Amino acid sequence: MQSQEVISREHDVLFQTYKRLPIVVDHASGVEIVDVDGNAYLDFLGGIAVNVLGYSHPKIISAIENQIRRYMHLSNYYYQEPQVQLAELLCSASGYERVFFCNSGSETVEGALKLARRIGHQKSKYDLVGFSGGFHGRTYAALSVMDKPLYKDGMGPFVAKTIALPFNDIDALESRIDESTAAVILEFIQGEGGLSEPTPEFVKRLFELRDEYDFVVIADEVQTGIGRTGSFFAFEKYGVRPDIVTVAKSVGGGLPLGAILTTHAHAGAMLRGQHGTTFGGNAVACVAGMVVVNEVLNGLMQHVLEIGRYLHASLSALAEQFPKQIREIRGRGCMQGAVMNSDASPYVNRLLDKKVIINSTSVNVIRLVPPYVITEENVDTFIRAFREVLLETEAQL
Ligand SMILES: Cc1ncc(COP(=O)(O)O)c(C=O)c1O
C-alpha cells in the first residue's frame, strides 16, 4: 500500500511528537478526506476545528487565487487592504474596536497575556491566572497558565507569576484573585479539556471580581470563536463582555491566522514596536478569512444552531440507548462530544475502521468539531457508525 511507504519515511525524518491517524491524504473536499489508497472518510474533526466551510470551498479557493495573483507576503511594513477589511468585519461583528493579527492560536494567547501585563504594569499587576483543564497552546506563556503535566513535564521553569486555579471553584477564585491580578484567561467551552463549561455562577463571580480588582478577562475563543457554538463567541451565552478575545483556527479559512480583539483603550497599551510578527495578517489568509466570516454572518451560524440541535438530539438518543457506555453529552453547535465511561480511544479507532474521523480529549471524551456545513445526512452517517461501534462494544461488556 502506498500509505505504508509514506508512513515509514515520515518516521525517519520528522519529530515524533504527533499521534497521527494512519491515513496518508490524497485530497479532501467538503466533509470528506480521501487517502492515497482510495479510501473516503467522513471528517468530523475538520482539521481540528479549522475547516469550517469544509475542504476546498470554491469561494475560499477563488479568493485565494485572486489574491496570490496580486501579492502573497509583503510584511507589516506596508498597508494592506485585506488586513483592514477583515479587521473591520471582525470589529463590526463583535463590537470590539481593535485587532492584532498573528499566525496561530498560541500566538494570540501569548500576545493577549503580554497585552494584559502592559495594561497592568503601571499598577504593579503582574499575575496571570488560568484554570485546570484549560488549553491555550504550546508557547511558554500559554503553558504557564495551564496545568496538564503531559504538556509541561521537564519544560520548566515557566513564566513567573502565573498559576492555573481549579476550574469552576469559586472559593479558589476568591482566595487567589486580588490587586496583583493582571489577567484571567479562560475558555467558555474547554476544547481540549473534555468540553467542560464554566458554571454561570463561576462566570458571574469572575466578572464581579474583575470589576472589584480591575484586571482583564481574556476569553480564549481560539476553538469556540467565529460561530462554532451557534453564537459568534461562546461567551455570549453568559451575558458577559470579556476585555480581550483571542480567535484563530477557523478565522483563516484553512490558512494560518490568529487575531486578538480588544477595545481601543486596551490596544493603546501596546506601543509601536512593542509587539509584532513577520507573517501576521498575511493577505492571502485574510481574504480566506473574509469568506469565512461573511459566510458565518450570512446564514451559516443559524445553520450551526440548527444542525447542532439535531446532533445533540441524535447523540442524546444514543446516550439513552447505551447508558453503560455513554455518561453524558456535552457542548453545543458544531462542538459537541460524548463523555464515555471508559477510555475513548478504542471508540475513535473503531469509528476510523468504519471510515469516520473524530478524536478524543481528556482520555474519556469523544470530541466532534465538524465543519459548520455538515448536513443531517452527515450526522446520520456518523450516528449510524457510532451506534454500530456501541453495539459491538456492548456485546463485549
Ligand atoms: C482554546 C485554544 N487556545 C489555543 C490553542 C492553540 O492554538 P494553536 O495550536 O493554533 O497554537 C488551541 C489549540 O487547540 C485551543 O484550542
Side-chain angles (χ1 to χ4, degrees):
M1 280 207 298
Q2 223 182 317
S3 54
Q4 282 314 318
E5 196 254 337
V6 178
I7 290 170
S8 90
R9 279 171 42 222
E10 191 267 2
H11 280 63
D12 291 341
V13 285
L14 287 164
F15 275 34
Q16 293 301 301
T17 51
Y18 296 111
K19 193 172 154 218
R20 297 187 200 270
L21 300 171
I23 297 174
V24 179
V25 179
D26 182 72
H27 63 275
S29 149
V31 295
E32 198 173 80
I33 285 183
V34 180
D35 73 11
V36 290
D37 300 315
N39 300 301
Y41 298 83
L42 173 68
D43 179 16
F44 266 36
L45 183 56
I48 323 182
V50 169
N51 302 308
V52 298
L53 304 190
Y55 295 99
S56 312
H57 192 280
K59 285 191 188 167
I60 292 189
I61 291 179
S62 138
I64 288 176
E65 277 176 355
N66 289 338
Q67 183 57 42
I68 59 179
R69 283 201 192 92
R70 299 181 69 192
Y71 59 87
M72 290 198 278
H73 173 72
L74 288 178
S75 88
N76 283 305
Y77 270 114
Y78 305 93
Y79 293 95
Q80 301 167 56
E81 178 75 28
Q83 278 189 6
V84 179
Q85 273 185 9
L86 182 57
E88 284 169 348
L89 190 59
L90 288 171
C91 287
S92 73
S94 67
Y96 289 97
E97 296 159 329
R98 292 291 182 273
V99 178
F100 179 87
F101 286 121
C102 53
N103 310 286
S104 69
S106 302
E107 216 187 322
T108 61
V109 168
E110 185 77 18
L113 291 172
K114 281 175 67 182
L115 177 60
R117 284 253 171 104
R118 280 288 306 161
I119 294 166
H121 90 284
Q122 269 165 350
K123 297 177 211 149
S124 302
K125 292 172 176 296
Y126 302 111
D127 292 0
L128 305 175
V129 178
F131 296 106
S132 57
F135 184 85
H136 303 293
R138 310 295 189 139
T139 58
Y140 265 103
L143 288 174
S144 300
V145 292
M146 288 158 52
D147 73 328
K148 195 170 168 183
L150 171 68
Y151 304 134
K152 300 181 68 168
D153 272 357
M155 291 184 188
F158 292 94
V159 175
K161 298 190 181 294
T162 53
I163 192 169
L165 296 178
F167 192 44
N168 274 332
D169 183 336
I170 292 178
D171 291 342
L173 206 57
E174 286 175 340
S175 63
R176 190 59 181 71
I177 299 273
D178 56 25
E179 298 77 11
S180 57
T181 305
V184 173
I185 182 166
L186 79 162
E187 297 159 89
F188 284 80
I189 299 183
Q190 291 188 328
E192 307 300 309
L195 304 175
S196 306
E197 299 185 44
T199 61
E201 300 73 39
F202 183 75
V203 172
K204 181 169 174 278
R205 191 69 192 116
L206 172 63
F207 280 80
E208 283 167 5
L209 289 168
R210 173 190 71 171
D211 296 343
E212 194 177 335
Y213 291 113
D214 188 26
F215 56 87
V216 293
V217 172
I218 304 168
D220 182 343
E221 296 262 359
V222 164
Q223 194 159 151
T224 47
I226 323 288
R228 178 158 294 280
T229 65
S231 50
F232 201 70
F233 294 121
F235 67 71
E236 289 168 36
K237 179 183 149 186
Y238 294 84
V240 292
R241 187 87 183 147
D243 306 279
I244 302 173
V245 183
T246 63
V247 294
K249 290 192 181 280
S250 57
V251 77
L255 291 175
L257 185 67
I260 304 170
L261 277 57
T262 189
T263 59
H264 168 62
H266 285 326
M270 203 70 104
L271 306 180
R272 184 155 291 147
Q274 286 198 310
H275 195 56
T277 160
T278 301
F279 287 111
N282 172 277
V284 185
C286 284
V287 295
M290 286 287 291
V291 175
V292 169
V293 181
N294 275 323
E295 290 290 308
V296 166
L297 295 175
N298 293 317
L300 193 55
M301 199 155 74
Q302 184 57 32
H303 174 71
V304 171
L305 263 183
E306 285 156 16
I307 201 71
R309 283 193 203 110
Y310 186 73
L311 178 60
H312 206 275
S314 309
L315 283 169
S316 302
L318 278 188
E320 257 178 51
Q321 199 185 337
F322 298 98
K324 276 195 251 164
Q325 295 182 72
I326 303 179
R327 191 184 307 163
E328 187 188 339
I329 303 304
R330 285 187 185 160
R332 51 204 145 98
C334 283
M335 183 168 184
Q336 300 196 36
V339 184
M340 309 305 291
N341 280 321
S342 61
D343 183 359
S345 50
Y347 294 97
V348 174
N349 297 337
R350 285 188 183 181
L351 276 161
L352 191 65
D353 291 340
K354 297 181 187 299
K355 307 286 181 281
V356 173
I357 299 173
I358 56 158
N359 84 339
S360 59
T361 69
S362 270
V363 184
N364 66 330
V365 181
I366 281 175
R367 176 179 56 169
L368 313 172
V369 276
Y372 300 176
V373 293
I374 53 164
T375 59
E376 291 192 359
E377 201 187 326
N378 297 143
V379 172
D380 292 345
T381 305
F382 161 72
I383 292 289
R384 223 176 5 255
F386 195 16
R387 181 178 289 112
E388 280 172 25
V389 170
L390 291 161
L391 278 169
E392 287 159 18
T393 311
E394 195 88 349
Q396 292 155 13
L397 287 179

